[in-house]
Amino acid sequence: MKLLDAKPAPFVQLILCDKCGGEKQHQEPGFEEFVCIDHHCGYTTVEDDGKHIQVDLCYACFKEMLGPYWRVKYNWITAIEPNPSKLKT
């Protein structure tokens, strides 16, 4: 028999955009839209060899900075919404 107990786990309460300084609390709308990059540079990286780089960006700054380079492979919203033109009446 196993007796389970719950331990509090750490979580992000507040996130700040490293570009514009905007912030969102954990329960606020838009909190989930922040993009957090956590990257370990490889040992063949010219200037940042072995560095650990982190950046947190709000969606607006992320889209402004990287939007022109996006490659959208799949849109899950349109995949679950019915297409009215394909519905039989």
Side-chain angles (χ1 to χ4, degrees), residues 47-79:
E47 294 182 22
D48 297 315
D49 192 14
K51 288 184 181 175
H52 182 188
I53 296 172
Q54 296 178 320
V55 64
D56 301 315
L57 298 169
C58 68
Y59 184 78
C61 289
F62 175 69
K63 187 172 184 178
E64 175 190 329
M65 295 173 70
L66 296 174
Y69 310 104
W70 285 1
R71 290 180 303 275
V72 177
K73 294 177 79 174
Y74 181 72
N75 185 337
W76 66 271
I77 293 176
T78 57

Side-chain angles (χ1 to χ4, degrees), residues 13-58:
Q13 177 62 35
L14 175 74
I15 193 163
L16 296 129
C17 178
D18 292 323
K19 183 175 185 293
C20 73
E23 61 182 53
K24 291 286 181 184
Q25 295 282 337
H26 179 71
Q27 298 296 331
E28 269 186 273
F31 178 86
E32 294 84 10
E33 292 182 351
F34 266 74
V35 175
C36 303
I37 298 171
D38 190 347
H39 179 71
H40 292 274
C41 297
Y43 292 107
T44 58
T45 306
V46 177
E47 294 182 22
D48 297 315
D49 192 14
K51 288 184 181 175
H52 182 188
I53 296 172
Q54 296 178 320
V55 64
D56 301 315
L57 298 169
C58 68

